[in-house]
Each structure stands twice: as C-alpha cells, then as structure tokens.
Amino acid sequence: MSILNKLFGKNKNLEFSTDIKSSVKEMLLPNSIAHGFPIHKRYQEKIVNKIVEIDAKEFVGSFSECHFVDCEIKIRCSAKYTYVLTNKCTFANCLIWAHTKQIGGNWNPKFKNCSFRGRYELRFENKLVNCDFSQAKISFVGLLENHTLDGIKGIAYPNIVVIDPKENHSKWEKTEAPDDFKDLVW
C-alpha cells in the first residue's frame, strides 16, 4: 500500500487543480532565426511572468526597449552582451539572476522592485528603485543616477560615496581608512 493510500484512504485519487500550473512561469521562446539559429529579436514588447534566458551563443539577438514584468531573467553571457541584449529595457518586480559573472561595462536598463542574484562588478546608468542585492555578490557596483542608497537593500559595508570627487579630493585624502582601502582611490 502506498503512502498516499495510507494518508487519504484506498482508491481516493488526489485531484490537482489546473490553477497550480498557471502560477508557474513559462520559458520565453526565441521568435526569430539568424543563420539557422533561434534567437530573440524583440522590440518594444511587454513580457509578463516569463523565464527569460539572456545568452549570446553563436548570434546575438536583442530585447530593445522591452518592458519585463514579474519575470525571472537568467543571464548566461558576459556583461558586454547583456548590455547589447537589454538596451533601454525596463524591469519591474523581476529576479535578475546572473549565472555568468557580470564584470565590467555599463547597463542602461531601468530597474524597479527587482532582486539580484549572482556576481556583479559593473555600473548601472539608470536609477535603481527599491532593488534588493542581498542575494548577490558585489565586488563593485557604480550607481550613476542614484544620489542616495535609499530603497536599495543588500549593499554591504563598506559603502563609500564621493560626491563631486574634484571638489572633495582633499577631504577624501584626509579621511582615515584601513590600509586595504588605499587601493580604492586613484
């Protein structure tokens, strides 16, 4: 006798609702072909509740000016390809999961209420709103439009912000810091 029969009685079948599957995200499939290879070639689309793999294998596609809502973004390429593939996109309530280290370069998408996983060492050109980096490993992240870290979670010590480096250079040099911080200033 199986465990289910012991728990629910013999000959009682468990009925699974079809609503369970609707909450699971489906994979966004490529919509174009380049030299016989399937690629994503999307422009100004709204993509909702999907798993999106951003990858640059043989050919690079693009998600130019797309709006992602409640998606899981799996990044499997370097930061320079991620920049090309997500040019001028917006991400809202998404999980941005870098399966490949995102090192160097700039990203220009807009992020709102997103969570980040993976390793990041790059610059964000647009403002991050209520984003969470607590599950990410950050070596260096430049926030070019964020004037404060309000609403950004998971940025761990040390938090160093130099506003107007030219004007404040002499003050920065006088700041006491441990020896391992001396590499941060050039």
Side-chain angles (χ1 to χ4, degrees):
M1 191 184 281
S2 74
I3 293 175
L4 292 176
N5 286 339
K6 288 181 184 178
L7 291 173
F8 299 104
K10 194 171 184 176
N11 297 328
K12 290 188 179 178
N13 293 328
L14 296 176
E15 294 182 24
F16 293 101
S17 171
T18 56
D19 293 338
I20 293 173
K21 279 201 165 203
S22 66
S23 66
V24 176
K25 291 177 176 53
E26 294 179 3
M27 187 70 93
L28 181 68
L29 299 175
N31 65 339
S32 186
I33 301 288
H35 302 282
F37 293 95
I39 64 168
H40 288 285
K41 191 169 186 175
R42 300 177 184 277
Y43 179 70
Q44 293 184 340
E45 287 185 34
K46 184 174 184 177
I47 301 166
V48 180
N49 200 31
K50 297 286 185 185
I51 297 173
V52 180
E53 288 205 8
I54 296 178
D55 201 347
K57 292 181 181 174
E58 289 82 6
F59 297 96
V60 177
S62 67
F63 292 95
S64 185
E65 298 179 32
C66 290
H67 183 64
F68 296 89
V69 179
D70 194 34
C71 291
E72 181 178 333
I73 311 299
K74 295 182 177 186
I75 302 170
R76 299 186 190 280
C77 58
S78 69
K80 68 180 179 180
Y81 288 118
T82 305
Y83 173 80
V84 171
L85 288 165
T86 61
N87 191 25
K88 298 181 183 174
C89 290
T90 59
F91 295 89
N93 302 315
C94 293
L95 169 62
I96 313 298
W97 192 342
H99 292 264
T100 301
K101 297 173 188 175
Q102 297 300 295
I103 298 175
N106 291 4
W107 279 7
N108 70 0
K110 295 177 183 174
F111 297 94
K112 183 175 183 180
N113 300 323
C114 292
S115 297
F116 291 81
R117 288 185 187 168
R119 182 170 172 205
Y120 296 89
E121 193 172 309
L122 47 85
R123 291 178 298 277
F124 290 93
E125 292 180 4
N126 287 309
K127 194 168 189 171
L128 300 169
V129 179
N130 294 325
C131 290
D132 184 0
F133 284 88
S134 62
Q135 298 177 40
K137 292 181 182 173
I138 299 173
S139 300
F140 163 82
V141 172
L143 306 174
L144 302 181
E145 288 294 319
N146 282 66
H147 300 292
T148 68
L149 294 177
D150 295 342
I152 297 177
K153 299 175 194 104
I155 305 281
Y157 177 84
N159 291 332
I160 298 173
V161 178
V162 179
I163 299 171
D164 197 357
K166 277 185 180 178
E167 186 177 306
N168 295 313
H169 187 299
S170 62
K171 292 178 187 175
W172 173 252
E173 285 182 325
K174 294 176 186 176
T175 303
E176 290 185 34
D179 290 335
D180 55 346
F181 284 171
K182 290 183 180 173
D183 293 335
L184 295 174
V185 181
W186 292 293

mmCIF file of all heavy atoms in Angstrom, residues 152-181:
data_model
loop_
_atom_site.group_PDB
_atom_site.id
_atom_site.type_symbol
_atom_site.label_atom_id
_atom_site.label_comp_id
_atom_site.label_asym_id
_atom_site.label_seq_id
_atom_site.Cartn_x
_atom_site.Cartn_y
_atom_site.Cartn_z
ATOM 1 N N ILE A 152 17.611 50.763 -1.634
ATOM 2 C CA ILE A 152 18.425 49.680 -2.181
ATOM 3 C C ILE A 152 18.886 48.827 -1.010
ATOM 4 O O ILE A 152 19.544 49.315 -0.106
ATOM 5 C CB ILE A 152 19.622 50.223 -2.973
ATOM 6 C CG1 ILE A 152 19.118 51.019 -4.177
ATOM 7 C CG2 ILE A 152 20.520 49.088 -3.437
ATOM 8 C CD1 ILE A 152 20.204 51.663 -4.983
ATOM 9 N N LYS A 153 18.518 47.549 -1.028
ATOM 10 C CA LYS A 153 18.854 46.644 0.072
ATOM 11 C C LYS A 153 20.038 45.768 -0.322
ATOM 12 O O LYS A 153 20.209 45.425 -1.471
ATOM 13 C CB LYS A 153 17.656 45.752 0.385
ATOM 14 C CG LYS A 153 16.438 46.511 0.825
ATOM 15 C CD LYS A 153 15.255 45.560 1.001
ATOM 16 C CE LYS A 153 13.985 46.343 1.101
ATOM 17 N NZ LYS A 153 13.190 46.318 -0.099
ATOM 18 N N GLY A 154 20.825 45.398 0.687
ATOM 19 C CA GLY A 154 21.870 44.410 0.479
ATOM 20 C C GLY A 154 23.208 44.952 0.056
ATOM 21 O O GLY A 154 24.113 44.181 -0.223
ATOM 22 N N ILE A 155 23.369 46.252 -0.024
ATOM 23 C CA ILE A 155 24.688 46.815 -0.295
ATOM 24 C C ILE A 155 25.404 46.831 1.047
ATOM 25 O O ILE A 155 25.026 47.564 1.952
ATOM 26 C CB ILE A 155 24.608 48.239 -0.874
ATOM 27 C CG1 ILE A 155 23.740 48.277 -2.129
ATOM 28 C CG2 ILE A 155 25.991 48.799 -1.129
ATOM 29 C CD1 ILE A 155 24.378 47.812 -3.383
ATOM 30 N N ALA A 156 26.422 45.992 1.190
ATOM 31 C CA ALA A 156 27.081 45.801 2.481
ATOM 32 C C ALA A 156 28.255 46.753 2.653
ATOM 33 O O ALA A 156 28.720 47.373 1.703
ATOM 34 C CB ALA A 156 27.566 44.362 2.602
ATOM 35 N N TYR A 157 28.739 46.848 3.886
ATOM 36 C CA TYR A 157 29.907 47.650 4.234
ATOM 37 C C TYR A 157 31.076 47.162 3.401
ATOM 38 O O TYR A 157 31.230 45.976 3.188
ATOM 39 C CB TYR A 157 30.215 47.475 5.724
ATOM 40 C CG TYR A 157 31.445 48.215 6.164
ATOM 41 C CD1 TYR A 157 31.375 49.553 6.506
ATOM 42 C CD2 TYR A 157 32.674 47.572 6.218
ATOM 43 C CE1 TYR A 157 32.507 50.231 6.900
ATOM 44 C CE2 TYR A 157 33.814 48.252 6.605
ATOM 45 C CZ TYR A 157 33.717 49.582 6.949
ATOM 46 O OH TYR A 157 34.837 50.251 7.323
ATOM 47 N N PRO A 158 31.942 47.965 2.895
ATOM 48 C CA PRO A 158 31.946 49.414 3.074
ATOM 49 C C PRO A 158 31.106 50.108 2.013
ATOM 50 O O PRO A 158 31.142 49.739 0.854
ATOM 51 C CB PRO A 158 33.413 49.789 2.900
ATOM 52 C CG PRO A 158 33.929 48.771 1.925
ATOM 53 C CD PRO A 158 33.155 47.506 2.217
ATOM 54 N N ASN A 159 30.343 51.080 2.423
ATOM 55 C CA ASN A 159 29.621 51.948 1.495
ATOM 56 C C ASN A 159 30.414 53.230 1.392
ATOM 57 O O ASN A 159 30.515 53.980 2.350
ATOM 58 C CB ASN A 159 28.218 52.276 2.009
ATOM 59 C CG ASN A 159 27.325 51.068 1.988
ATOM 60 O OD1 ASN A 159 27.507 50.177 1.181
ATOM 61 N ND2 ASN A 159 26.368 51.039 2.876
ATOM 62 N N ILE A 160 30.996 53.463 0.267
ATOM 63 C CA ILE A 160 31.804 54.658 0.096
ATOM 64 C C ILE A 160 31.201 55.471 -1.035
ATOM 65 O O ILE A 160 31.015 54.973 -2.139
ATOM 66 C CB ILE A 160 33.264 54.303 -0.238
ATOM 67 C CG1 ILE A 160 33.864 53.516 0.914
ATOM 68 C CG2 ILE A 160 34.060 55.558 -0.536
ATOM 69 C CD1 ILE A 160 35.220 52.970 0.640
ATOM 70 N N VAL A 161 30.875 56.698 -0.738
ATOM 71 C CA VAL A 161 30.306 57.582 -1.734
ATOM 72 C C VAL A 161 31.121 58.866 -1.732
ATOM 73 O O VAL A 161 31.309 59.483 -0.685
ATOM 74 C CB VAL A 161 28.825 57.907 -1.409
ATOM 75 C CG1 VAL A 161 28.266 58.872 -2.418
ATOM 76 C CG2 VAL A 161 28.007 56.628 -1.346
ATOM 77 N N VAL A 162 31.610 59.244 -2.882
ATOM 78 C CA VAL A 162 32.334 60.511 -3.003
ATOM 79 C C VAL A 162 31.529 61.380 -3.952
ATOM 80 O O VAL A 162 31.420 61.076 -5.145
ATOM 81 C CB VAL A 162 33.766 60.304 -3.542
ATOM 82 C CG1 VAL A 162 34.469 61.638 -3.680
ATOM 83 C CG2 VAL A 162 34.533 59.381 -2.631
ATOM 84 N N ILE A 163 30.931 62.424 -3.416
ATOM 85 C CA ILE A 163 30.158 63.346 -4.233
ATOM 86 C C ILE A 163 31.098 64.441 -4.712
ATOM 87 O O ILE A 163 31.811 65.048 -3.922
ATOM 88 C CB ILE A 163 28.986 63.930 -3.422
ATOM 89 C CG1 ILE A 163 28.069 62.785 -2.997
ATOM 90 C CG2 ILE A 163 28.236 64.979 -4.222
ATOM 91 C CD1 ILE A 163 26.999 63.184 -2.031
ATOM 92 N N ASP A 164 31.090 64.669 -6.006
ATOM 93 C CA ASP A 164 31.957 65.656 -6.648
ATOM 94 C C ASP A 164 33.419 65.415 -6.275
ATOM 95 O O ASP A 164 34.016 66.175 -5.496
ATOM 96 C CB ASP A 164 31.524 67.077 -6.289
ATOM 97 C CG ASP A 164 32.111 68.101 -7.247
ATOM 98 O OD1 ASP A 164 32.881 67.708 -8.145
ATOM 99 O OD2 ASP A 164 31.815 69.289 -7.075
ATOM 100 N N PRO A 165 34.031 64.356 -6.824
ATOM 101 C CA PRO A 165 35.398 63.990 -6.464
ATOM 102 C C PRO A 165 36.433 65.103 -6.650
ATOM 103 O O PRO A 165 37.346 65.229 -5.846
ATOM 104 C CB PRO A 165 35.714 62.812 -7.384
ATOM 105 C CG PRO A 165 34.407 62.280 -7.801
ATOM 106 C CD PRO A 165 33.466 63.426 -7.790
ATOM 107 N N LYS A 166 36.281 65.924 -7.688
ATOM 108 C CA LYS A 166 37.255 67.000 -7.897
ATOM 109 C C LYS A 166 37.267 67.964 -6.712
ATOM 110 O O LYS A 166 38.311 68.324 -6.190
ATOM 111 C CB LYS A 166 36.917 67.791 -9.167
ATOM 112 C CG LYS A 166 37.407 67.189 -10.428
ATOM 113 C CD LYS A 166 37.115 68.151 -11.573
ATOM 114 C CE LYS A 166 37.583 67.580 -12.876
ATOM 115 N NZ LYS A 166 37.272 68.475 -13.988
ATOM 116 N N GLU A 167 36.070 68.367 -6.306
ATOM 117 C CA GLU A 167 35.955 69.343 -5.224
ATOM 118 C C GLU A 167 36.326 68.759 -3.869
ATOM 119 O O GLU A 167 36.881 69.438 -3.009
ATOM 120 C CB GLU A 167 34.523 69.881 -5.175
ATOM 121 C CG GLU A 167 34.319 71.013 -4.192
ATOM 122 C CD GLU A 167 32.899 71.531 -4.258
ATOM 123 O OE1 GLU A 167 32.440 71.884 -5.350
ATOM 124 O OE2 GLU A 167 32.248 71.554 -3.184
ATOM 125 N N ASN A 168 36.051 67.483 -3.651
ATOM 126 C CA ASN A 168 36.247 66.870 -2.333
ATOM 127 C C ASN A 168 37.495 65.995 -2.241
ATOM 128 O O ASN A 168 37.634 65.238 -1.284
ATOM 129 C CB ASN A 168 35.001 66.052 -1.967
ATOM 130 C CG ASN A 168 33.796 66.931 -1.791
ATOM 131 O OD1 ASN A 168 33.865 67.956 -1.119
ATOM 132 N ND2 ASN A 168 32.687 66.553 -2.417
ATOM 133 N N HIS A 169 38.385 66.071 -3.216
ATOM 134 C CA HIS A 169 39.571 65.226 -3.221
ATOM 135 C C HIS A 169 40.436 65.435 -1.973
ATOM 136 O O HIS A 169 40.889 64.468 -1.358
ATOM 137 C CB HIS A 169 40.401 65.484 -4.470
ATOM 138 C CG HIS A 169 41.541 64.536 -4.635
ATOM 139 N ND1 HIS A 169 42.569 64.414 -3.736
ATOM 140 C CD2 HIS A 169 41.800 63.615 -5.596
ATOM 141 C CE1 HIS A 169 43.411 63.497 -4.129
ATOM 142 N NE2 HIS A 169 42.972 62.992 -5.256
ATOM 143 N N SER A 170 40.643 66.659 -1.569
ATOM 144 C CA SER A 170 41.498 66.907 -0.399
ATOM 145 C C SER A 170 40.866 66.353 0.872
ATOM 146 O O SER A 170 41.558 65.804 1.732
ATOM 147 C CB SER A 170 41.791 68.404 -0.248
ATOM 148 O OG SER A 170 40.592 69.112 -0.043
ATOM 149 N N LYS A 171 39.549 66.443 0.987
ATOM 150 C CA LYS A 171 38.858 65.876 2.157
ATOM 151 C C LYS A 171 38.986 64.354 2.155
ATOM 152 O O LYS A 171 39.157 63.731 3.192
ATOM 153 C CB LYS A 171 37.382 66.278 2.154
ATOM 154 C CG LYS A 171 37.150 67.748 2.398
ATOM 155 C CD LYS A 171 35.677 68.050 2.322
ATOM 156 C CE LYS A 171 35.424 69.548 2.393
ATOM 157 N NZ LYS A 171 34.011 69.875 2.207
ATOM 158 N N TRP A 172 38.859 63.758 0.976
ATOM 159 C CA TRP A 172 38.961 62.301 0.860
ATOM 160 C C TRP A 172 40.341 61.822 1.283
ATOM 161 O O TRP A 172 40.486 60.820 1.964
ATOM 162 C CB TRP A 172 38.646 61.882 -0.575
ATOM 163 C CG TRP A 172 38.888 60.429 -0.841
ATOM 164 C CD1 TRP A 172 39.892 59.906 -1.585
ATOM 165 C CD2 TRP A 172 38.135 59.322 -0.361
ATOM 166 N NE1 TRP A 172 39.811 58.534 -1.596
ATOM 167 C CE2 TRP A 172 38.738 58.154 -0.858
ATOM 168 C CE3 TRP A 172 37.015 59.194 0.443
ATOM 169 C CZ2 TRP A 172 38.254 56.883 -0.570
ATOM 170 C CZ3 TRP A 172 36.538 57.928 0.729
ATOM 171 C CH2 TRP A 172 37.149 56.798 0.219
ATOM 172 N N GLU A 173 41.408 62.542 0.875
ATOM 173 C CA GLU A 173 42.768 62.146 1.236
ATOM 174 C C GLU A 173 42.994 62.195 2.742
ATOM 175 O O GLU A 173 43.791 61.431 3.274
ATOM 176 C CB GLU A 173 43.784 63.055 0.539
ATOM 177 C CG GLU A 173 43.943 62.734 -0.926
ATOM 178 C CD GLU A 173 44.994 63.609 -1.579
ATOM 179 O OE1 GLU A 173 45.120 64.796 -1.193
ATOM 180 O OE2 GLU A 173 45.698 63.104 -2.459
ATOM 181 N N LYS A 174 42.312 63.087 3.450
ATOM 182 C CA LYS A 174 42.473 63.235 4.892
ATOM 183 C C LYS A 174 41.666 62.207 5.690
ATOM 184 O O LYS A 174 41.869 62.044 6.885
ATOM 185 C CB LYS A 174 42.054 64.642 5.335
ATOM 186 C CG LYS A 174 42.966 65.723 4.800
ATOM 187 C CD LYS A 174 42.450 67.088 5.185
ATOM 188 C CE LYS A 174 43.286 68.180 4.525
ATOM 189 N NZ LYS A 174 42.747 69.512 4.794
ATOM 190 N N THR A 175 40.754 61.502 5.037
ATOM 191 C CA THR A 175 39.906 60.537 5.718
ATOM 192 C C THR A 175 40.738 59.335 6.149
ATOM 193 O O THR A 175 41.501 58.773 5.355
ATOM 194 C CB THR A 175 38.769 60.053 4.786
ATOM 195 O OG1 THR A 175 38.048 61.190 4.350
ATOM 196 C CG2 THR A 175 37.833 59.086 5.492
ATOM 197 N N GLU A 176 40.596 58.946 7.408
ATOM 198 C CA GLU A 176 41.305 57.770 7.896
ATOM 199 C C GLU A 176 40.622 56.519 7.372
ATOM 200 O O GLU A 176 39.404 56.383 7.448
ATOM 201 C CB GLU A 176 41.316 57.761 9.426
ATOM 202 C CG GLU A 176 42.197 58.844 10.018
ATOM 203 C CD GLU A 176 42.296 58.729 11.526
ATOM 204 O OE1 GLU A 176 42.283 57.600 12.041
ATOM 205 O OE2 GLU A 176 42.386 59.774 12.165
ATOM 206 N N ALA A 177 41.412 55.613 6.847
ATOM 207 C CA ALA A 177 40.871 54.374 6.303
ATOM 208 C C ALA A 177 41.892 53.266 6.517
ATOM 209 O O ALA A 177 43.092 53.520 6.570
ATOM 210 C CB ALA A 177 40.583 54.538 4.818
ATOM 211 N N PRO A 178 41.425 52.024 6.618
ATOM 212 C CA PRO A 178 42.355 50.896 6.737
ATOM 213 C C PRO A 178 43.235 50.794 5.491
ATOM 214 O O PRO A 178 42.889 51.292 4.427
ATOM 215 C CB PRO A 178 41.430 49.675 6.844
ATOM 216 C CG PRO A 178 40.094 50.211 7.180
ATOM 217 C CD PRO A 178 40.030 51.611 6.694
ATOM 218 N N ASP A 179 44.372 50.128 5.610
ATOM 219 C CA ASP A 179 45.311 50.002 4.500
ATOM 220 C C ASP A 179 44.692 49.359 3.269
ATOM 221 O O ASP A 179 45.028 49.721 2.140
ATOM 222 C CB ASP A 179 46.549 49.200 4.923
ATOM 223 C CG ASP A 179 47.419 49.980 5.890
ATOM 224 O OD1 ASP A 179 47.362 51.234 5.866
ATOM 225 O OD2 ASP A 179 48.150 49.342 6.661
ATOM 226 N N ASP A 180 43.782 48.385 3.470
ATOM 227 C CA ASP A 180 43.211 47.720 2.290
ATOM 228 C C ASP A 180 42.257 48.606 1.501
ATOM 229 O O ASP A 180 41.847 48.267 0.415
ATOM 230 C CB ASP A 180 42.519 46.406 2.689
ATOM 231 C CG ASP A 180 41.456 46.572 3.768
ATOM 232 O OD1 ASP A 180 41.420 47.636 4.404
ATOM 233 O OD2 ASP A 180 40.690 45.615 3.958
ATOM 234 N N PHE A 181 41.888 49.799 2.024
ATOM 235 C CA PHE A 181 41.045 50.730 1.290
ATOM 236 C C PHE A 181 41.866 51.666 0.406
ATOM 237 O O PHE A 181 41.320 52.369 -0.410
ATOM 238 C CB PHE A 181 40.179 51.563 2.221
ATOM 239 C CG PHE A 181 39.006 50.829 2.789
ATOM 240 C CD1 PHE A 181 38.257 51.411 3.785
ATOM 241 C CD2 PHE A 181 38.656 49.574 2.342
ATOM 242 C CE1 PHE A 181 37.162 50.741 4.322
ATOM 243 C CE2 PHE A 181 37.581 48.903 2.869
ATOM 244 C CZ PHE A 181 36.825 49.481 3.866
#
